[in-house]
Amino acid sequence: MNKGMTSVHGRGRTVSKLRKSHNARPPRSRQRTGSVCDSDIDVNLRIISYDDTVRKLDHYYGIVKRQLLQNQSITLGLFPLSSQEKEVADIRTTIYCAASIWSLFQAYRRIDDDRGKAYELGQSCVKCMRGILNCWMRQTENVENFKKGQNPKYALHSKFHLKTGKEVVSSDDYGHLQIDVVSLFLLFLVQMITSGLQIIYTMDEVTFVQNLVYYVERAYRTPDFGMWERGSKYNNGTPELHASSIGMAKAALEAINGCNLFGEKGASWSVIFVDIDAHNRNRSIFETLLPRESSSKNVDASLMCTISFPAFATHDQMLYSKTRSQVISSLEGKYGFKRFHRDGYGTVLEDKRRRFYHSAETKEFEKIECQWPLFYLYMILEGMFKNNEEQVEEYKNKLKPLVKRDKWGDPVIPMYYFVHKDNVEDEQAEPGSQYRQSSPEGTPKNLFLWGQSIWIIASLLMDNLLHINELDLIRRHLPSYNRPRKGGRYSAFQSKNHKGTASDLVVQVVLIAESMRLQAMMATYGIQTQTPHEVEPVQIWPPKELVKVYQNLGVSEKLGLGGRPTRPIGALGTSKIYRVCGQTVLCYPLVFEVSDFYLSHDMALLIDDIKTELHFVGKYWRLSGRPTVCILIREEHMRDVHFRELLDLLAMLKSGYCDGLKIRTGRLQNLIASSCIEHLDFMNAMDIDLDITPFEQLQHASIGYQSLTDVPTAITYSEDSMSFKDMGLQPTPEVLSVLRSVSTLHGQTQLLGILLRREGRNFQVDGVSVQDRVCALLRQASSLRYWAGVRECNALLSKEVESISPYITTILVSGKQLTAGYGKDEILLDKPVQPAEIHDLFYTPALQAHNVVQAVLQQEVVLYCGKLIATHTQLFNGILNIRIGWVIKAMTYYLHDVCHGKESIESLAPNEVRRLVVKVLSIDEWAHKERLTPQQIRVIDGCLGRTPKRFYEKVFHILSKSTEGVRLCDQLLPQHPTISEMSSGELNFALTVQSLLNRIQHPEYRQIVVELFSVIATILERNPELKFLHELNLDQIVKEAFKMFLKDLGREYTEDMSSFYNASQVAVTSYLARAIVNFMLTGDVRSEIEEGLTFCKVS
C-alpha cells in the first residue's frame, strides 16, 4: 500500500490519512452537514497545510499532557475532580477526560506520521475506561442487588480512591446513585470501541457490561441523585426522577444495542442485547418529563448535555427547542449558566460544614446562584453539531473574558463564578449587576478537569482538527433513520420514521388458531388462520418462555451475577422473530396470556387491547425490519358474547388497515423475510438444557363446529346479592353450616372469605381447603362471566395485575401523584414502586375491611388510568393527585345518582368499568349535553380533584399576601417556609396545596373551596395593595357566603349546604366575593389600606 494513504478501518469504512505532499489540494471552507452520504465521501476535512495541522495537533497534545495526563492515576488511569485532589477519583470527570483524550486520538489519526502520539493517547484512554471497569467490577454484588430493587444503597459508586480503586465514601454519606454516570460510560465505551480501541478483554467483562445495561434499563423508575449529586434541589438527601438521567440511559441503550464489545473481530457471544420495551419506557418517560428536569427543578442546565452532546437523547424538534429555550432563558448569565434555580453550591451563603440544607434554606440562594462557564462550552459544541456558526461565535466571545491562562499560556476554565459576600444584597436586589469572582477550582494551580476536557473537545472542532463525525462515530446527533445502516445479525435502532411515528410502517400480523376445528370455523367467515402445526418448523411461544431464555444472558457464577431479571417481555419485544439454538420462534403478546387476574376473561377488553397493542407497536417501532404481531385465537373466545366483534376486527385487519395503521396479514412463512429477526447467539455458547413449553395445538377427534350458530354461547348470569356480613360475628361451625346450605356464588364467596380471614387458607371444609374452594368458585364465576364473584374471589386470593408498576410510573412522571385506599388510610405514591411492593399497597387491612373487592378494583382502575394518561393526556387536565378510591366514588355517583342505575361497579364487566373511567374523566365534554346540575358537576370534579388553569400560581400569590398563612379544615398552610422554600410554578408546591385540599371529605365542598381560591386571587390581582394580616380562614368565608345565600332566599340557617352546591358558578362566585370583602372589612387587611378603604374591586 502506498505510504501516503494508510487506511484505518472503523465501522466498515476506510478513512484516508493525509501526509505531507508537494501537490496538496487547496483548502476547503468548513462545512458541517447532516447528510451521512456527504460526510462519508469527505469524513476528514481538507487541511490547509500538513505542517500547520501537525503543529496545531502537537499544541493540543502538549495541553492534554500538561492538563489531563499529568493528573491521571498511575495505577488505574482514573482522574480527580480537580488537579489538587490527590485521593479521590470522580467517575464522571474521568469519563469526560477519557473522551477528551480520545477526541485528540481521533484527530491524530488523520495524519500519517504522528510519531506514536495517537497510540499513546489511545492507550491512555483504554487504561482510563478499564480503570472504571476495574473499580465497578469489584462491586458486582451491588449490581446484582440493585437489579432486584433499585435500592440506592446498592448503587455503583461514583467516587473511588484514585490509586487503589477502593471505596472512599459509603452510600449513607454520599449520593452514589447517579444513573447518568453509568450511562455516560456505556455511551463512550461504544464510541471508543467503534473507533477501533480494544477496551474489553474477557468474557467476564462482557458479562459485566451486559449487567450494566440491566442496571440502567430501569432508569425510568429509579429516583437518583442526578448529575449534581444532591437529588432534589432542597438538598435534603432525597433522590428524584431526573430527566437528564433517564435521557442519558435512553441514549446509552440505543448506542450499545447490538454492539460487539470485542470490536470487529469479536464473536457472536460478545454482543450486548437491550430490552426494546425498557428502552421505549425510558423514551416515553423522558419525553413526558421534558422540558422539566424533576419534581423540584423545573429547569436544569444538565439537560443540555442530554439533548445535545454527548447523548443527543431526543430528535423530537419541538421538545428539543422547548427544553433548550427554557434552559437558556432561565439559566444563562454573563458568567455562564446557573445549574438550576436556588442552587446553593459554591455560594458564600452555603454552610460547607453541613451536607444537607435546613428547611427553606434554598430561598437564601435565590438570584445569587453560581454561574458555570462550562455550559458556554456545551453551547459551542451544540453550535458545531447544528452547523450554527453564529452560535459558536456568540458563545466563544462570551467565554473569552472568563478564561484564565497558566504559565504556559494554556487556557484554564474556572469551575464557576460566585458573588462576593459584600455584594450579595446588591445582586439580589438587581440580578446581574455585580462583579463575580472565579471559584478556587479552575485556576492554573487547581484545574477543573471536566471543564478542561470539554474545552479541548470544542477547540479541536473549532480549529477544524476534528470533524463531528469523528467525535460521534455512531452518529447519535442524527435521527435514527439517518444513521449508517448496521449490518449483521442483531437489531438496531434505525428504522425510517417521520415526525416521531413510523408513518409508512407496515405491521405484520399472523393469525394463529388454537385448533383445526377453530381454523375451519374461522375459514367459513373468510378469516384465514394457521395452526401451530402449520407454522412449523417455526414455534409459537408464550412470552414467559422467552423470559427463561433471556435469564441466561449475563449470567456468571464466578462474578455472582444472575443474568436478566425476570421482567416480562413487552409488546415491542414480542414483535421480533427470534433465532434460538437453531430454532425460529415467534412469541404471542402478553395480552393473549391467560393470566391469574380476571381481565384476560373479558373479550371486549381483549379486542380493545389488540387494537391498542397494534397501534403502540406501529407508533414506537424503531428497529430495522417490520414488526410481526401474533394474534392468538382460542376456542374459549368462541363462547363469548363479544366473539362477533373479534371477527369484525379480524376482517378489518384482513382489509389492510386498522384505524389508519397499515396492516399486512399472511402466512408466517411468507412474512419472515421482511421481519425483524433477533439472533440470540449467546445461547450457543452455553451448555444448558432449556425447559421450554411451546404453545400447543388442541387435538379433537373431529372438526366439529362449522359456524357460530353451532357454538354454545355463554349465558348472562345474575343472582341476588344477599349480604352475609353479619356471619362474621358467628362461630366457625355456624358459618360452615350456612355455607353448606347456600347455593349462590356471591353467598359462598362471602362465607369462604370469613373462614379464610379467620382460619387461614389451609382450613379444611368437607375435605377441601378454603383456598381450593375459592379457586373452584373463581373458575365457575369466570366461565359464567359473573364479574362480582370473579372480583371477590381474586381479592380473597390476593391476586395482582401483571406489570402494573410501569403504569404507576407513567402516572407519576406525568407530573401526577397517585393515591390508593380510602380516607385516612390512603397511601400516597410519589415515587415509582417495585413489583414486590404492589401487594402491600393494595392489600392493606384498612382497604380489605372497607370492602375486600376494592383491592382488585383499585388495581384495575390504576391500570386504566396508566394506559389513558399515555394516550389521552387531556383527560387528566387539572388533576394533580389521582385518588383511585375517589375516582371509583365518582364512577359510582355517576352510575347511581346521574344515570339512576342499580348495578354496583364491581358487577360490571372490565370493559364497562374502563368506559366508565373515561366517562367521568371526560365530564367537560358531555356535562352540558346531558344536562348535569351544578351540584352533580361539582361532585364529580371534586372526586377527581380537578382545578382550573393557573390555580396553583393563584394560591401561591394568595399565600404571599397572607402573613399568618391559610387555614382549611383545621390545617394551616403557613406562609413560611412554604413560599421561601418553593416557587409558584414548582410541582412540589402544587402537591403541598393538594395535600391541604385532600383533607376535605365532601367533594362538592372541595370544589367550592377551589372556586373561593380563584375569587380571592382575582380580588388580589385587581387590588395589589391588599394584604391579609391575620390567618385567612377559608371555612369561615364559605360559611359566611352560605349564610348570605340563605338570607337572600329568606331561609333559616341549616347545616345542609345542598342548595348552595346546586347554585350556578356565577351565583356562588358573587356570594364568595361578598364574604371576602366582609372578611377584609372586619380588620383583617393591612391597616394603612384600611384607612382609605371604601370598596374593593371585585369585578
Side-chain angles (χ1 to χ4, degrees), residues 84-225:
Q84 280 186 359
E85 175 59 63
K86 303 301 178 187
E87 296 272 318
V88 180
D90 180 75
I91 300 300
R92 184 183 286 100
T93 301
T94 298
I95 296 167
Y96 276 115
C97 286
S100 177
I101 297 163
W102 174 72
S103 65
L104 185 57
F105 160 78
Q106 285 288 85
Y108 261 113
R109 293 174 73 180
R110 290 186 178 189
I111 63 174
D112 185 27
D113 182 17
D114 59 31
R115 288 167 291 180
K117 288 174 184 160
Y119 182 79
E120 179 199 353
L121 293 166
Q123 291 311 106
S124 297
C125 231
V126 170
K127 181 173 183 176
C128 183
M129 296 297 278
R130 288 191 58 76
I132 297 170
L133 196 65
N134 184 314
C135 291
W136 280 346
M137 284 186 76
R138 301 178 194 185
Q139 299 188 324
T140 51
E141 189 179 345
N142 277 18
V143 174
E144 187 59 26
N145 286 324
F146 188 84
K147 277 158 46 182
K148 295 170 185 172
Q150 291 80 52
N151 189 322
K153 74 176 179 181
Y154 297 125
L156 283 171
H157 284 206
S158 299
K159 293 188 184 294
F160 291 93
H161 193 279
L162 197 56
K163 292 177 182 172
T164 65
K166 290 182 178 177
E167 297 176 7
V168 290
V169 58
S170 72
S171 292
D172 294 331
D173 298 321
Y174 172 75
H176 283 294
L177 180 50
Q178 298 162 34
I179 297 285
D180 69 298
V181 171
V182 182
S183 303
L184 195 66
F185 173 79
L186 294 175
L187 193 57
F188 277 114
L189 180 69
V190 177
Q191 296 275 22
M192 292 172 187
I193 289 172
T194 305
S195 73
L197 291 180
Q198 277 191 294
I199 296 171
I200 305 299
Y201 293 171
T202 66
M203 276 309 297
D204 286 335
E205 292 170 6
V206 171
T207 299
F208 182 75
V209 172
Q210 180 65 62
N211 278 271
L212 289 184
V213 170
Y214 300 145
Y215 184 95
V216 302
E217 267 183 352
R218 287 204 158 178
Y220 66 89
R221 47 177 289 173
T222 308
D224 72 343
F225 293 98

Side-chain angles (χ1 to χ4, degrees), residues 840-859:
D840 295 340
L841 185 63
F842 292 100
Y843 287 97
T844 59
L847 191 57
Q848 289 191 294
H850 175 81
N851 183 350
V852 68
V853 176
Q854 286 293 322
V856 292
L857 191 58
Q858 291 207 10
Q859 289 183 68

Side-chain angles (χ1 to χ4, degrees), residues 513-516 519 530-534 695-699:
E514 189 176 34
S515 66
M516 287 180 67
Q519 181 188 36
Q530 289 177 280
T531 62
H533 286 174
E534 287 179 344
F695 180 69
E696 295 291 342
Q697 182 169 324
L698 289 182
Q699 302 298 329

Side-chain angles (χ1 to χ4, degrees), residues 65-85:
K65 289 282 278 187
R66 289 189 293 271
Q67 294 190 343
L68 300 186
L69 295 177
Q70 179 67 28
N71 295 294
Q72 187 174 23
S73 161
I74 55 173
T75 50
L76 292 166
L78 304 179
F79 289 87
L81 181 67
S82 59
S83 59
Q84 280 186 359
E85 175 59 63

Side-chain angles (χ1 to χ4, degrees), residues 26 250 698 720 904 1008:
K250 169 193 178 279
L698 289 182
D720 294 332
S904 63
I1008 293 290

Side-chain angles (χ1 to χ4, degrees), residues 723-963:
S723 174
F724 288 86
K725 196 172 183 180
D726 293 345
M727 291 302 297
L729 304 172
Q730 301 299 320
T732 298
E734 183 68 25
V735 177
L736 286 169
S737 173
V738 175
L739 176 61
R740 293 185 182 105
S741 65
V742 170
S743 59
T744 63
L745 291 177
H746 185 54
Q748 290 181 59
T749 308
Q750 289 180 79
L751 293 166
L752 284 169
I754 291 168
L755 293 173
L756 189 144
R757 284 188 290 271
R758 184 187 296 173
E759 307 290 348
R761 292 170 178 265
N762 298 319
F763 181 71
Q764 299 292 304
V765 179
D766 300 335
V768 181
S769 70
V770 171
Q771 179 162 326
D772 290 345
R773 286 285 295 262
V774 176
C775 288
L777 273 179
L778 175 57
R779 286 191 293 273
Q780 191 180 352
S782 296
S783 64
L784 294 169
R785 304 296 190 261
Y786 175 52
W787 297 110
V790 167
R791 286 189 174 95
E792 192 152 5
C793 290
N794 269 274
L796 290 175
L797 296 168
S798 298
K799 292 188 181 292
E800 301 159 21
V801 176
E802 294 86 354
S803 300
I804 197 173
S805 295
Y807 295 108
I808 291 174
T809 305
T810 304
I811 291 169
L812 296 178
V813 299
S814 299
K816 315 291 182 190
Q817 279 186 332
L818 189 66
T819 309
Y822 273 118
K824 293 178 181 176
D825 299 305
E826 280 185 323
I827 299 172
L828 179 68
L829 292 178
D830 53 5
K831 62 177 185 290
V833 293
Q834 306 300 331
E837 298 167 8
I838 296 295
H839 182 275
D840 295 340
L841 185 63
F842 292 100
Y843 287 97
T844 59
L847 191 57
Q848 289 191 294
H850 175 81
N851 183 350
V852 68
V853 176
Q854 286 293 322
V856 292
L857 191 58
Q858 291 207 10
Q859 289 183 68
E860 198 179 328
V861 174
V862 168
L863 183 72
Y864 300 150
C865 287
K867 288 182 175 181
L868 284 169
I869 205 165
T871 54
H872 299 81
T873 316
Q874 75 284 356
L875 291 177
F876 297 86
N877 286 350
I879 303 173
L880 191 63
N881 187 344
I882 302 171
R883 302 166 80 192
I884 298 302
W886 285 88
V887 172
I888 293 172
K889 274 191 177 181
M891 293 157 63
T892 306
Y893 180 82
Y894 175 75
L895 197 63
H896 295 165
D897 293 62
V898 179
C899 299
H900 308 293
K902 302 293 182 190
E903 289 180 294
S904 63
I905 297 285
E906 53 263 31
S907 65
L908 299 177
N911 72 87
E912 293 171 322
V913 173
R914 178 153 75 176
R915 277 201 286 270
L916 201 51
V917 171
V918 174
K919 185 73 177 178
V920 296
L921 286 171
S922 58
I923 181 174
D924 290 346
E925 298 170 15
W926 53 266
H928 180 69
K929 193 164 96 177
E930 295 192 18
R931 298 185 177 177
L932 262 65
T933 66
Q935 182 171 6
Q936 289 173 333
I937 293 171
R938 284 190 176 106
V939 170
I940 294 175
D941 274 342
C943 286
L944 298 175
R946 187 164 264 149
T947 56
K949 285 182 182 177
R950 294 184 57 245
F951 174 73
Y952 300 102
E953 292 175 34
K954 291 175 181 178
V955 176
F956 192 90
H957 182 58
I958 292 168
L959 197 56
S960 69
K961 297 278 192 173
S962 306
T963 314

Side-chain angles (χ1 to χ4, degrees), residues 556-684:
S556 172
E557 198 173 328
K558 183 163 59 166
L559 293 172
L561 295 171
R564 182 183 186 269
T566 52
R567 301 165 186 164
I569 306 292
L572 299 171
T574 55
S575 298
K576 299 179 190 177
I577 289 174
Y578 292 88
R579 294 281 296 164
V580 189
C581 299
Q583 294 178 331
T584 305
V585 172
L586 175 62
C587 286
Y588 58 78
L590 272 171
V591 293
F592 295 106
E593 195 78 285
V594 179
S595 66
D596 281 347
F597 208 72
Y598 56 87
L599 298 180
S600 61
H601 298 292
D602 184 355
M603 171 65 80
L605 197 65
L606 176 65
I607 291 166
D608 282 350
D609 283 342
I610 292 171
K611 289 180 182 176
T612 304
E613 193 96 346
L614 290 172
H615 279 277
F616 176 83
V617 171
K619 187 174 183 182
Y620 296 119
W621 187 257
R622 291 289 181 273
L623 302 183
S624 47
R626 289 175 177 172
T628 306
V629 178
C630 173
I631 292 183
L632 195 60
I633 308 162
R634 300 179 188 270
E635 287 202 349
E636 66 180 48
H637 295 157
M638 293 190 299
R639 298 186 65 246
D640 198 283
V641 290
H642 296 285
F643 188 54
R644 286 184 184 276
E645 293 172 31
L646 180 62
L647 283 176
D648 292 340
L649 172 64
L650 298 179
M652 180 167 66
L653 298 182
K654 185 184 172 186
S655 74
Y657 286 91
C658 174
D659 299 335
L661 179 70
K662 292 178 187 173
I663 301 287
R664 182 187 172 197
T665 57
R667 295 174 62 79
L668 179 54
Q669 288 84 344
N670 298 338
L671 299 176
I672 286 178
S674 52
S675 298
C676 172
I677 299 177
E678 190 74 271
H679 294 79
L680 303 186
D681 292 334
F682 63 89
M683 292 300 296
N684 301 342

